[in-house]
């Protein structure tokens, strides 16, 4: 029997769809899952009649693969990956290649690449985005590791990836854990945009009094615009339009208002704090999820303060797309991307990843959860100036900020007076206002630090380090 081109370990939501994608694209496959019953179920169901065979044990799995072996691991991130590598590596031969397609912590990947490469195996840490549908039809993929390891899988991943007008949504990201780092930041941006749309929903409902269908119509209009057309706006429209089959009411109103947060959002913020990159819109989204999960506490606290009793304010005509709200959302989405890209720039500098920001914009244009028409502008901005200090100073994005800042201010001020939380929109306003301020009040912070701790300060009018005896 001829050997399979490709091996997949982990028949979960992603693995199952990715192997069907590979097979559809001409790569005969062998699959292994820790629980064999799931393999049998898959082969009898969605995998039936395809160029896919199952293996009950890892030695069987390894024996069924052509050399050099290309093995994609789609299992839970963390210890399971280390355990799997420990079990697999005695079975591998020189030149064989492991790909971790899960959401692994990039520093873990950094370590694994070094370990496996030193033993003459290839190791790729590859972020995969697109959910179940993307995995099947074409995801966006962010592979990092050695160039040689990437070259060995390029044919496979570029065939499987989503396609946009200028190519497949996959490229060599860079060395070490860079692929997983880029995926982590992708997810951080995703947190931001999801929360921005949740805030827009809250305002449309509680300030403008719209029902789900009317809100969906507004989102449908936004999805036609260059600035907001995106997968997340598209699915938000669908969610808002969906009715509960029992009651006929808007289904979303029956859902518990508590969202969890998994590793990648937290890792984005942790990395940003460690690297000294401000990501306030993304951080606000993470905090909003954490705070939402304190549901019991919130329910007890709510009657203690009579919030949301403030004045209603004008969010604009829904038939015209609610211009101030739309402007606020556009700027908050731009801020999420700008913060994510700034974080990638700093990580690239610190780890010498040599990231190509225009190429990252390109591979996010299709297949992934944050795909949006705006990414063409992001790709163009970094193609024009690869060393752009911040996306917001690119001429096109700067023009957006100039035009839409009044709308963002109006919405944030109105929400504050109405007693409604808008953490991402509010943080975006602070981010933009601070970034474009030539003078911030941190001179006074420096004065305090020198006053109590003799930390010294610098002056604007002459070089050097100064200390003042501030206290009598
Ligand atoms: P899933 O449906 O929960 O499936 C998890 C898979 O991991 C199963 O095959 C499970 O095997 C296996 N597994 C769990 N613990 C294991 C262990 N200790 N040893 C060996 N195998 C183990 O997961 P998924 O959603 O496909 O996600 C897989 C990876 O992709 C994760 O890192 C996830 O974060 C990432 N990811 C997910 C998505 C998404 O939309 N779902 C998108 C991008 C990336 P059993 O059947 O034996 O339990």
């Amino acid at each position: 029997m001829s050997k399979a081109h490709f091996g997949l370990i982990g028949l979960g939501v992603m693995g199952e769809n990715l192997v069907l994608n590979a097979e559809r694209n001409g790569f005969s496959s062998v699959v292994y899952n820790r629980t064999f019953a799931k393999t049998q179920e898959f082969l009898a169901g969605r995998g039936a009649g395809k160029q896919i065979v199952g293996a009950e044990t890892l030695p069987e799995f390894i024996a069924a693969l052509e050399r050099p072996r290309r093995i994609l691991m789609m299992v839970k991130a963390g210890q399971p990956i280390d355990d799997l590598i420990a079990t697999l590596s005695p079975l591998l031969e020189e030149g064989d290649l492991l790909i971790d397609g899960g959401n692994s912590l990039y520093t873990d990947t950094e370590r694994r690449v070094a370990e496996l490469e030193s033993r003459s195996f290839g190791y790729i840490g590859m972020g995969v985005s697109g959910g179940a549908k993307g995995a099947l039809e074409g995801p966006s993929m962010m592979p990092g590791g050695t160039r040689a390891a990437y070259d060995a899988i390029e044919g496979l991943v570029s065939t499987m990836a989503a396609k946009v007008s200028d190519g497949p949504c996959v490229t060599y990201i860079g060395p070490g854990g860079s692929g997983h780092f880029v995926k982590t930041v992708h997810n951080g941006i995703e947190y931001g945009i999801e929360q921005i749309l949740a805030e827009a929903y809250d305002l449309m409902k509680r300030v403008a009094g719209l029902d789900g269908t009317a809100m969906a119509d507004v989102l449908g209009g936004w999805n036609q615009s260059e600035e907001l057309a995106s997968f997340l706006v598209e699915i938000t429209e669908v969610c808002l339009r969906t009715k509960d089959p029992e009651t006929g009411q808007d289904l979303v109103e029956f859902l518990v208002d508590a969202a969890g947060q998994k590793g990648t959002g937290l890792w984005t913020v942790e990395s940003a704090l460690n690297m000294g990159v401000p990501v306030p819109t993304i951080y606000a989204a993470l905090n909003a999820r954490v705070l939402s999960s304190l549901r019991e506490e919130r329910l007890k606290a709510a009657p203690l303060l009579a919030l949301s009793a403030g004045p209603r304010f004008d969010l604009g005509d829904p038939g015209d797309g609610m211009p101030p709200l739309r402007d606020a959302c556009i700027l908050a989405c731009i801020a999420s991307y700008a913060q994510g890209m700034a974080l990638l720039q700093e990580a690239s500098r610190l780890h010498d990843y040599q990231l190509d920001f225009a190429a990252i914009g390109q591979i996010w244009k299709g297949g992934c959860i944050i795909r949006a028409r705006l990414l063409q502008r992001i790709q163009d901005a970094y193609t024009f100036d690869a060393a752009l200090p911040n996306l917001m100073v690119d001429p096109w994005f700067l023009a957006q900020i100039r035009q839409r800042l009044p709308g963002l201010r109006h919405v944030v001020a109105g929400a504050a007076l109405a007693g409604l939380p808008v953490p991402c929109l509010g943080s975006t306003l602070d981010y933009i206002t601070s970034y474009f301020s030539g003078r911030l009040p941190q001179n006074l912070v420096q004065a305090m630090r020198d006053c109590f701790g003799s930390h010294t300060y610098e002056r604007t009018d002459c070089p050097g380090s100064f200390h003042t005896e501030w206290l009598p």
Side-chain angles (χ1 to χ4, degrees):
M1 205 180 90
S2 62
K3 305 249 180 187
H5 296 127
F6 167 66
L8 174 109
I9 300 179
L11 281 170
V13 177
M14 294 298 282
E16 184 171 305
N17 286 294
L18 283 167
V19 78
L20 289 170
N21 177 337
E23 196 270 349
R24 189 186 66 240
N25 283 297
F27 294 91
S28 61
S29 307
V30 53
V31 294
Y32 168 86
N33 194 68
R34 176 181 60 174
T35 312
F36 184 55
K38 210 187 253 183
T39 308
Q40 292 172 307
E41 200 182 306
F42 171 71
L43 292 173
R46 293 178 79 200
K50 306 238 156 48
Q51 294 288 306
I52 303 178
V53 294
E56 187 169 5
T57 66
L58 282 173
E60 271 175 39
F61 171 81
I62 292 291
L65 277 165
E66 69 176 19
R67 293 210 54 218
R69 300 180 178 90
R70 288 171 297 186
I71 300 169
L72 175 61
M73 302 180 287
M74 285 310 296
V75 305
K76 209 166 164 262
Q79 194 57 43
I81 291 286
D82 282 320
D83 294 346
L84 197 52
I85 293 171
T87 318
L88 271 176
S89 48
L91 307 172
L92 299 178
E93 292 170 88
E94 193 175 324
D96 287 351
L97 211 140
L98 292 179
I99 309 161
D100 170 14
N103 281 336
S104 290
L105 180 60
Y106 81 105
T107 46
D108 283 348
T109 304
E110 208 83 41
R111 165 177 58 78
R112 291 168 188 150
V113 168
E115 249 173 57
L116 276 284
E117 290 283 344
S118 73
R119 295 161 65 188
S120 303
F121 304 133
Y123 194 88
I124 291 279
M126 182 169 79
V128 179
S129 177
K133 196 164 185 285
L136 180 65
E137 293 172 2
S140 175
M141 298 195 255
M142 296 147 249
T146 64
R147 181 83 222 194
Y150 177 72
D151 288 344
I153 63 157
E154 186 175 18
L156 173 73
V157 290
S158 56
T159 315
M160 289 172 69
K163 310 287 181 303
V164 288
S165 60
D166 51 355
C169 294
V170 62
T171 189
Y172 174 59
I173 296 290
S178 59
H180 275 141
F181 189 76
V182 170
K183 172 69 196 313
T184 296
V185 173
H186 164 287
N187 286 19
I189 296 169
E190 179 186 317
Y191 270 51
I193 298 171
E194 287 166 359
Q195 174 64 23
I196 292 159
L197 293 172
E199 289 171 25
Y201 148 76
D202 204 27
L203 293 171
M204 284 191 279
K205 184 171 89 170
R206 296 210 271 171
V207 175
L210 303 191
D211 66 9
T213 306
M215 289 187 246
D217 289 343
V218 172
L219 274 275
W222 289 3
N223 202 31
Q224 301 304 312
S225 67
E226 178 184 9
E227 296 83 358
L228 284 173
S230 59
F231 173 70
L232 283 169
V233 169
E234 184 187 317
I235 62 162
T236 307
E237 180 192 348
V238 172
C239 294
L240 289 170
R241 220 178 271 292
T242 303
K243 306 290 174 211
D244 172 39
E246 295 290 309
T247 62
Q249 311 281 308
D250 295 334
L251 178 58
V252 74
E253 299 308 325
F254 293 91
L255 273 64
V256 171
D257 60 342
Q261 54 94 20
K262 288 203 263 176
T264 46
L266 176 66
W267 297 339
T268 303
V269 172
E270 275 181 348
S271 309
L273 293 174
N274 284 328
M275 295 180 194
V277 179
V279 294
T281 307
I282 296 171
Y283 194 5
L286 182 80
N287 273 328
R289 287 197 190 191
V290 175
L291 224 152
S292 78
S293 69
L294 306 178
R295 187 159 179 268
E296 293 302 312
E297 266 181 75
R298 288 190 290 111
L299 284 169
K300 284 186 193 141
L304 306 179
L305 268 190
L307 287 175
S308 63
R312 282 188 160 206
F313 60 102
D314 186 14
L315 283 173
D317 177 7
D320 193 25
M322 309 184 97
L325 184 61
R326 184 189 56 212
D327 288 352
C329 290
I330 290 171
L331 291 193
C333 289
I334 289 175
S336 299
Y337 284 109
Q339 292 162 24
M341 296 311 280
L343 180 55
L344 290 180
Q345 279 176 306
E346 184 57 11
S348 185
R349 195 187 64 76
L350 281 174
H351 297 289
D352 199 19
Y353 283 156
Q354 314 226 349
L355 297 180
D356 178 341
F357 305 108
I360 292 169
Q362 193 270 331
I363 65 166
W364 285 351
K365 284 193 300 188
C368 69
I369 304 296
I370 62 168
R371 62 185 183 262
R373 216 182 287 170
L374 198 64
L375 279 154
Q376 183 61 55
R377 294 287 183 177
I378 296 177
Q379 184 183 350
D380 293 346
Y382 289 102
T383 302
F384 182 69
D385 180 2
L388 197 63
N390 188 297
L391 191 60
M392 295 189 297
V393 300
D394 166 82
W396 188 84
F397 287 96
L398 187 58
Q400 291 289 318
I401 293 171
R402 283 211 184 95
Q403 182 191 338
R404 303 184 192 281
L405 197 52
L408 176 63
R409 287 193 183 123
H410 171 78
V411 170
V412 173
L417 293 172
L420 295 171
V422 283
C424 276
L425 299 181
S427 300
T428 297
L429 182 57
D430 282 340
Y431 179 65
I432 293 174
T433 313
S434 298
Y435 188 82
F436 288 95
S437 287
R439 180 93 171 146
L440 291 169
Q442 274 60 35
N443 47 330
L444 182 59
V445 173
Q446 292 298 64
M448 288 181 250
R449 294 178 68 248
D450 188 50
C451 175
F452 69 71
S454 300
H455 289 294
T456 72
Y457 57 88
E458 290 172 52
R459 295 181 61 104
T460 54
D461 55 354
C462 51
S465 184
F466 298 87
H467 170 64
T468 297
E469 287 302 321
W470 302 86
L471 298 172

